[in-house]
Amino acid sequence: MNEVLRRAMYGANLTETDVAAEVAVDPKTVRNWLHGQLPQARHRATLTKLLGIGEEVAWPELSGARQPDLVAVYPRRAAVMHEFWLSLFDSAVTEIGIVADDALFLLQDTNFVHCLREKCAAGARVRVGLWAPGEATAAVGDLDAETEMRVSNARRAVSLLQPLLPYNGFEMRLHDIGLYNSLYRADDQLLVNQHAHGIADAESPVFHYRRAPAGDIFRSYLASFETIWSQADSLRAFRG
């Protein structure tokens, strides 16, 4: 299954029949593409324009650089359907991990918080690491408007997670690390939201990885998660 193509069609709300009409082929041909068949060059050009995906991202065999643990690439976080985020974490059985500045786009959804609670109750380990200003930042004095907003958002995120603190398996920590990306793990799947200077996280790319025997990227990001987690503090009061 070509997951990149399938997700792009899902994100664009297009069926096999819709794509077939746009590309001027039979729906069975689109089905074959979804199952791994490489489209002709002229059809690839139409598909990439229609779905807003890179040719070598959808068909990495063209570049000879296929990564076995890369499932999909989204040009911006906003392109990942909210339902997909929910289904990803709902599929977790043993491990959920989040390291971000505040993850409010998820935590403000009561269904998502309920999902985390249900996973804890079912015996899963749920770890959430959020940003908080460290002593060095606070020592500067009055925080600038951007930092004040980050603090406000982080406080809001912590308050939304407070009801989960009594649950076994749930742990929240605070970090003051300038993250290069936000990490969202559900068992053997991982979404990595890159941070681009001057661009909102919602407008920055997201990479979807799945653990694979010959894949190194998933393991690298997992090691990054554990490093950040080890440097984070147990839940403490915010300054101010």
Side-chain angles (χ1 to χ4, degrees):
M1 177 65 71
N2 187 324
E3 288 287 345
V4 174
L5 185 60
R6 185 174 71 85
R7 287 293 176 189
M9 288 172 55
Y10 178 80
N13 197 29
L14 294 174
T15 66
E16 293 175 5
T17 303
D18 296 331
V19 172
E22 292 287 342
V23 186
V25 296
D26 190 278
K28 291 181 180 179
T29 301
V30 178
R31 195 170 306 121
N32 289 337
W33 294 340
L34 287 170
H35 284 84
Q37 185 182 88
L38 181 66
Q40 295 179 11
R42 61 189 177 90
H43 291 148
R44 293 199 302 271
T46 305
L47 287 168
T48 55
K49 184 177 180 180
L50 174 66
L51 300 174
I53 54 176
E55 189 167 306
E56 291 187 356
V57 173
W59 302 282
E61 60 267 33
L62 294 174
S63 65
R66 182 180 182 87
Q67 298 298 324
D69 46 4
L70 179 62
V71 178
V73 179
Y74 300 89
R76 62 192 62 83
R77 193 186 72 199
V80 185
M81 302 292 289
H82 189 70
E83 292 76 13
F84 175 68
W85 288 96
L86 294 177
S87 65
L88 177 77
F89 287 102
D90 190 52
S91 71
V93 176
T94 61
E95 184 84 22
I96 287 176
I98 297 173
V99 164
D101 276 357
D102 55 59
L104 274 180
F105 76 101
L106 291 174
L107 298 179
Q108 291 180 131
D109 182 351
T110 56
N111 290 325
F112 178 74
V113 177
H114 177 76
C115 174
L116 295 185
R117 183 168 63 247
E118 291 297 307
K119 293 303 173 181
C120 289
R125 185 187 190 191
V126 178
R127 295 182 291 170
V128 181
L130 303 175
W131 180 84
E135 293 182 2
T137 302
V140 173
D142 292 336
L143 302 178
D144 58 48
E146 181 180 353
T147 305
E148 285 283 6
M149 178 61 71
R150 292 180 68 195
V151 171
S152 176
N153 289 343
R155 284 175 172 157
R156 172 65 175 154
V158 168
S159 70
L160 291 170
L161 288 171
Q162 290 281 356
L164 301 184
L165 291 176
Y167 283 81
N168 292 329
F170 179 79
E171 186 176 0
M172 178 162 44
R173 294 185 183 181
L174 303 178
H175 66 82
D176 62 351
I177 299 171
L179 299 176
Y180 296 118
N181 44 62
S182 297
L183 305 174
Y184 303 89
R185 180 191 179 188
D187 287 344
D188 290 338
Q189 297 195 73
L190 180 71
L191 293 183
V192 180
N193 185 188
Q194 296 294 331
H195 294 182
H197 183 70
I199 301 176
D201 292 351
E203 297 302 318
S204 296
V206 171
F207 293 79
H208 180 188
Y209 297 98
R210 181 183 290 115
R211 189 195 298 272
D216 293 326
I217 301 178
F218 181 92
R219 287 193 293 270
S220 294
Y221 278 120
L222 214 58
S224 175
F225 180 98
E226 295 299 339
T227 298
I228 295 168
W229 187 256
S230 68
Q231 295 174 2
D233 297 327
S234 296
L235 183 61
R236 54 181 167 78
F238 283 92
R239 289 180 177 271

